[in-house]
Amino acid sequence: MRLTQYTDYSLRVLLYLAVRDRQSLSNIKEIADAYQISKNHLMKVTHELGKLGLIETIRGRKGGIRLAKNPKEINIGAVVRQTEEDFHIVECFNSELNKCTISPSCKLKHVLYEAMQAFIKVLDGYTLQDLVMNKDELNFLLLSGQQLD
């Protein structure tokens, strides 16, 4: 199973905001700098996270973004389902584009479907709070741009 860059960046934004003080505002530039990723991509991601009600966006000169919910209320499986375009990990999962000859009798697609469901079930077992239990370490890495081995 592979997640899109969009979902990866969505999760990174949520992680970044979860380790910050809940009342303080962050901005796209500081998040992009912390992860060394595209500011333009993050603009799209944060817009969508705002529409999903996961982050709060405050406009203006002193504006910024912050979590709209407590990290305990943000389920990772739900975020992945909301940010992934689809879960067509193989052609036969997409009924409109499926041209595989053996699809009507294929057992592999059932195995892959079961594996995908297990993947999502594991993600459903975690909240954003679970992922930031090492808040101080994450904050250090995000603010310093250093990597721990």
Side-chain angles (χ1 to χ4, degrees):
M1 181 85 205
R2 176 177 229 161
L3 298 177
T4 60
Q5 186 179 60
Y6 189 87
T7 297
D8 177 22
Y9 286 5
S10 296
L11 292 168
R12 289 190 202 198
V13 168
L14 294 173
L15 285 165
Y16 185 93
L17 297 176
V19 299
R20 309 293 293 163
D21 173 21
R22 188 109 186 264
Q23 300 308 312
S24 66
L25 296 173
S26 298
N27 63 55
I28 293 169
K29 182 186 179 336
E30 71 186 50
I31 298 170
D33 289 348
Y35 288 118
Q36 299 176 10
I37 56 179
S38 166
K39 199 170 96 171
N40 290 334
H41 286 349
L42 285 185
M43 287 172 58
K44 296 173 194 168
V45 166
T46 56
H47 177 73
E48 184 64 25
L49 292 174
K51 286 183 2 184
L52 292 172
L54 297 171
I55 66 170
E56 185 180 357
T57 57
I58 292 95
R59 293 180 174 241
R61 208 169 73 128
K62 295 195 179 201
I65 58 175
R66 63 180 164 216
L67 287 180
K69 298 179 177 186
N70 186 305
K72 291 177 188 172
E73 299 171 2
I74 300 175
N75 180 272
I76 300 304
V79 172
V80 169
R81 280 192 292 282
Q82 291 174 314
T83 57
E84 279 296 304
E85 290 178 12
D86 60 57
F87 289 96
H88 300 156
I89 60 173
V90 288
E91 178 183 321
C92 57
F93 280 26
N94 184 339
S95 59
E96 293 176 17
L97 300 177
N98 184 19
K99 298 196 184 340
C100 181
T101 306
I102 65 168
S103 190
S105 296
C106 183
K107 302 295 183 206
L108 176 62
K109 69 181 175 185
H110 301 293
V111 171
L112 292 174
Y113 180 78
E114 186 179 339
M116 185 182 64
Q117 293 302 311
F119 176 78
I120 295 297
K121 184 177 179 182
V122 168
L123 295 176
D124 282 339
Y126 291 91
T127 67
L128 187 57
Q129 181 65 41
D130 296 323
L131 303 182
V132 295
M133 297 301 280
N134 58 340
K135 199 179 223 179
D136 292 338
E137 188 177 338
L138 291 170
N139 223 352
F140 171 78
L141 291 169
L142 288 167
L143 294 177
S144 68
Q146 297 180 11
Q147 304 228 348
L148 296 180
D149 293 329

